[in-house]
Amino acid sequence: MRTTLKRGLGRGAAPNGNGKAVLPPGSSSPVTFYRQPEGSRRSRAALVGRIAMWLGIACLVLASGAMGGAYLYFHQSVAAVAAKTPEVRRAARQLDVALPGQPAVALVIGYDHRKEDGLNTSGRSDTLMLVRADPSTDSISLLSFPRDMRVEIRCPGRTPFFDKINAAYSYCGPQGSLNTVKGLTGAQINYLITVNFRGFRQIVDRLDGAWIDVDRRYFNDRGGPYGYAKINLSPGYQRLTGRQTLDYVRYRHTDSDLYRVARQQQFVKAFKGQIQQSFAPTALPKVVNAITHNVEVAQGGGVDVDGRTVLSYALFAYGLPKGRVFQTRIEGLEGVSELTTNSENITRAITTFTHPDVDSSEKATAVALGEKPKSRAPAPRATTITVLNGNGVSGSASTAGYLLGQRSYEILTPPNGLPANAPSFDYFRTKVYFDGSRRGAREAGRKVANLFASAELAPLPRKISQLANGAMLTVVVGQTFHGSLASAPIDQTPKRERPNVTYAPNASLEDLRARRKRVPFPLMVPSVIERSSWTDPTMPVRLYWIDPGERHKAVRLVYRMGSNEYWGVQMTNWDDAPVLADKSLTRHIGGRSYDLYYNGPKLHMAVLRTPKASYWVINTLLDRLSNETMIAIAKGLKPLGAVKAK
């Protein structure tokens, strides 16, 4: 018999939490020791056994010594990055405490202090970025603030005033930046990370460079007081040195801060993937040395960051599913030397940042290809849920059920007057069980799990099914539930639109023909291009060694769209480039296979794979090409020999 929810559900449960702290946001892995079986008693076997035993002991001693040294080195290094300057320590008092199992937010400040700035000044901050790690969605979100965005500056002991956001650091150091960002966004910030740009260069160099896709030609050789920063980069996917990477992410002199922000987020996403794929343990001491001399990390709660916290976040980032780094931008910015936008755009950016839509790439692809979604979660009003107390905290199931009811879910209670308690009170993470026999139950469960921090999704087990009362979902509230639900992510799925393309193989045909014999793989011609585009007159094509150590070649076509937007086509026989490892999904279109790479709902790269080479269609830095346009260009790639001049 089904009944509806009544207040007081689960209140009879006695508190029974274990009170143990956990590492946010990941968990450690157990180590199991095994005893080898006894060997033969024959003398020769015994001799071999003794030799093996002593070799094993020797190896164990050496390994233990190495691990002990690494352990001490790691913890000494972590202690070295703890907040030490008075400015960062004062700012740390304004940080919020990170709760176990909950999302955590860090403010990253990239700053530069030059001789001309003087000894008693904070220098200047070129980078302000929020980074959010969310264990409930296995995602990392990035939100950058253009340095020229005009906001209310909040400095300690001063009346708030309006200026560019980077002025907060210049006037009152990291505490000013932290207070200004908190006032602007309303976000709770748990960690403060300051990075000296000298250290930025060293870290990149000691990891053997950064693999970055450079969208166009960047060149300026007139530095000094009457010029701007020197830079000399050619287009294409390539490995940059620390100096080149810094030049690239700080550049803004022929575009604007919007593009600089896009380049900074591009670097963070690319570098994370590069470390995840090819980090060399031998580089660790050099990298740690560069970090400890140029980075400070402060955390909320008045204590220094410890090794367990650093390691847990490192493991969390390392183990992220593919396509789970989301780049958020503040839209609607207007102006040149100063940028402004409506407060609604900032609110929307914060909501998107704190509640990323992890299914955005799937939904956007379905729209662009005209597909019907394979499965869709039923509406909340068509989803029945039984809520059970699994943490022993009185009233937790009642509170969770009430909040779900406020979201229009139909809440049931266990049958025959049974108490709304799970079989035990030792649930740490909230569990969302789905009835596999019900259509759409898994999708509905995933949707509900996103509302609980660190919730786990699983099929309904027999011991719980007796309490489910026929509900589609059964939620067992764990210790990670703190009396509130997350906001649902904003659905950013774009509307379907016609591809904005035109047939124009002539734009690149002759350039490709001239290079055909110098490339060890077939070339492809973009037969259709974005309607307002043509090859860039500065450097329309580049033929180069993409990875000199492996002798892989590449061809890069650069197209200019409008006054300052560049998209491109990259062709190479390097099949395992680091950037290719983080695909969002794969689709078969017209008999060919395409790997799709998304920034949220925006298709940033479409890669056609063939046995001899891969062909990448790469969106602009701001992803101005629509998803339909990107797919049309990728579908329009034709073998060079099959295309005739128009």
Side-chain angles (χ1 to χ4, degrees):
M1 179 180 68
R2 299 187 180 187
T3 57
T4 56
L5 173 71
K6 300 176 183 178
R7 289 294 271 169
L9 176 69
R11 292 187 181 274
N16 191 28
N18 60 20
K20 293 182 179 179
V22 296
L23 299 181
S27 60
S28 58
S29 299
V31 178
T32 304
F33 294 91
Y34 297 92
R35 181 183 299 275
Q36 295 292 343
E38 298 291 338
S40 169
R41 295 186 178 181
R42 295 179 181 178
S43 58
R44 181 174 299 181
L47 177 61
V48 172
R50 286 193 293 272
I51 294 174
M53 179 186 71
W54 286 111
L55 286 175
I57 292 174
C59 291
L60 181 61
V61 170
L62 290 174
S64 299
M67 288 188 292
Y71 178 85
L72 292 174
Y73 179 77
F74 170 73
H75 281 270
Q76 289 172 355
S77 301
V78 170
V81 301
K84 46 188 174 289
T85 61
E87 295 83 3
V88 176
R89 284 191 171 275
R90 284 195 295 269
R93 300 168 190 163
Q94 309 299 317
L95 294 171
D96 301 289
V97 176
L99 298 176
Q102 297 288 315
V105 178
L107 174 64
V108 180
I109 303 175
Y111 69 93
D112 191 13
H113 193 284
R114 305 171 186 174
K115 292 182 179 179
E116 57 266 28
D117 295 330
L119 295 177
N120 298 319
T121 62
S122 300
R124 64 199 76 193
S125 64
D126 275 359
T127 300
L128 277 177
M129 180 184 297
L130 288 178
V131 182
R132 182 177 185 271
D134 189 344
S136 65
T137 57
D138 281 332
S139 66
I140 288 178
S141 302
L142 310 174
L143 174 61
S144 296
F145 303 94
R147 55 170 283 174
D148 291 340
M149 187 170 69
R150 187 174 177 83
V151 301
E152 185 180 62
I153 305 298
R154 302 191 179 191
C155 282
R158 298 185 59 174
T159 302
F161 60 96
F162 283 88
D163 204 334
K164 297 178 181 180
I165 195 169
N166 70 323
Y169 188 87
S170 301
Y171 285 127
C172 42
Q175 190 172 2
S177 295
L178 176 63
N179 290 345
T180 297
V181 171
K182 291 182 71 172
L184 177 67
T185 64
Q188 289 194 336
I189 300 176
N190 312 108
Y191 297 92
L192 176 65
I193 304 172
T194 62
V195 184
N196 188 317
F197 281 136
R198 178 185 62 183
F200 176 93
R201 297 194 303 268
Q202 292 178 356
I203 293 169
V204 172
D205 282 334
R206 291 175 185 183
L207 278 174
D208 203 20
W211 284 99
I212 300 293
D213 185 74
V214 180
D215 60 320
R216 62 179 176 91
R217 177 76 166 119
Y218 291 85
F219 180 76
N220 174 58
D221 62 353
R222 296 184 60 186
Y226 302 105
Y228 53 86
K230 293 183 178 181
I231 190 170
N232 185 7
L233 294 176
S234 296
Y237 185 71
Q238 59 199 284
R239 180 160 49 194
L240 303 182
T241 65
R243 166 58 68 182
Q244 290 173 322
T245 304
L246 186 59
D247 291 344
Y248 178 70
V249 300
R250 297 184 71 184
Y251 184 87
R252 72 183 183 108
H253 295 285
T254 59
D255 40 42
S256 73
D257 255 350
L258 299 179
Y259 298 89
R260 188 215 296 254
V261 164
R263 283 187 284 267
Q264 291 172 355
Q265 292 191 350
Q266 177 194 21
F267 163 77
V268 171
K269 188 174 182 179
F271 207 53
K272 175 261 176 190
Q274 181 181 333
I275 293 175
Q276 186 178 37
Q277 184 187 40
S278 58
F279 178 73
T282 55
L284 180 61
K286 295 186 294 183
V287 174
V288 169
N289 182 263
I291 291 175
T292 55
H293 285 81
N294 298 281
V295 176
E296 290 184 72
V297 180
Q299 70 173 351
V303 295
D304 290 341
V305 65
D306 60 22
R308 293 184 303 169
T309 300
V310 172
L311 184 59
S312 66
Y313 282 112
L315 292 174
F316 173 74
Y318 186 84
L320 278 182
K322 294 178 180 179
R324 290 297 180 91
V325 178
F326 295 91
Q327 301 168 243
T328 305
R329 301 188 183 110
I330 299 174
E331 302 291 346
L333 289 165
E334 299 177 345
V336 181
S337 60
E338 288 189 346
L339 301 175
T340 59
T341 189
N342 292 330
S343 59
E344 292 83 0
N345 290 326
I346 295 177
T347 301
R348 184 178 179 86
I350 288 296
T351 302
T352 303
F353 168 73
T354 54
H355 302 97
D357 186 356
V358 296
D359 297 321
S360 58
S361 59
E362 288 278 2
K363 293 186 292 186
T365 300
V367 169
L369 297 178
E371 300 174 343
K372 291 184 178 181
K374 295 181 180 179
S375 58
R376 179 177 295 176
R381 62 180 177 275
T383 304
T384 53
I385 303 177
T386 295
V387 185
L388 304 177
N389 189 323
N391 58 23
V393 178
S394 178
S396 60
S398 174
T399 300
Y402 174 77
L403 293 173
L404 289 169
Q406 293 295 101
R407 303 288 180 93
S408 299
Y409 288 98
E410 182 183 351
I411 307 302
L412 309 180
T413 58
N416 304 320
L418 292 173
N421 294 327
S424 65
F425 291 147
D426 59 355
Y427 285 78
F428 175 67
R429 299 186 187 278
T430 295
K431 288 274 193 177
V432 178
Y433 296 112
F434 62 91
D435 183 349
S437 66
R438 306 281 294 275
R439 184 176 181 181
R442 180 186 292 271
E443 291 72 25
R446 184 178 296 111
K447 189 174 181 180
V448 170
N450 289 337
L451 300 177
F452 291 88
S454 304
E456 297 176 348
L457 183 67
L460 182 66
R462 180 181 296 274
K463 65 178 181 179
I464 299 295
S465 64
Q466 300 172 0
L467 300 169
N469 198 12
M472 179 183 292
L473 305 177
T474 302
V475 175
V476 180
V477 179
Q479 295 174 33
T480 55
F481 175 66
H482 296 283
S484 62
L485 299 180
S487 299
I490 297 176
D491 189 351
Q492 296 181 288
T493 308
K495 295 182 179 179
R496 183 172 171 79
E497 57 183 85
R498 293 177 60 85
N500 187 33
V501 295
T502 186
Y503 184 75
N506 287 359
S508 59
L509 191 58
E510 293 305 318
D511 286 326
L512 293 175
R513 283 176 175 171
R515 291 159 177 80
R516 174 169 45 188
K517 295 182 179 180
R518 299 163 58 192
V519 179
F521 55 85
L523 294 177
M524 291 273 192
V525 179
S527 63
V528 298
I529 64 175
E530 194 278 334
R531 190 174 298 276
S532 66
S533 303
W534 202 256
T535 48
D536 179 39
T538 303
M539 184 176 284
V541 63
R542 181 189 178 203
L543 170 62
Y544 65 105
W545 293 104
I546 189 173
D547 185 13
E550 299 293 335
R551 307 298 288 176
H552 291 123
K553 273 195 171 181
V555 172
R556 178 58 169 252
L557 295 173
V558 181
Y559 292 86
R560 182 169 180 169
M561 181 179 72
S563 61
N564 207 33
E565 297 278 356
Y566 300 84
W567 61 274
V569 176
Q570 180 94 11
M571 312 181 199
T572 180
N573 59 347
W574 189 19
D575 292 332
D576 55 352
V579 71
L580 298 179
D582 197 33
K583 68 179 178 182
S584 302
L585 48 93
T586 299
R587 283 291 186 273
H588 296 279
I589 308 171
R592 301 198 296 193
S593 179
Y594 298 88
D595 290 340
L596 306 180
Y597 300 74
Y598 277 85
N599 285 333
K602 301 288 186 67
L603 180 56
H604 182 70
M605 188 166 71
V607 177
L608 168 64
R609 289 196 179 260
T610 72
K612 294 184 178 180
S614 60
Y615 307 85
W616 319 351
V617 177
I618 304 169
N619 212 328
T620 69
L621 282 172
L622 299 180
D623 294 322
R624 299 294 196 194
L625 300 185
S626 70
N627 296 348
E628 291 82 1
T629 299
M630 286 285 294
I631 291 174
I633 295 172
K635 289 170 60 178
L637 293 172
K638 306 295 183 184
L640 181 58
V643 177
K644 297 181 180 180
K646 184 177 177 180

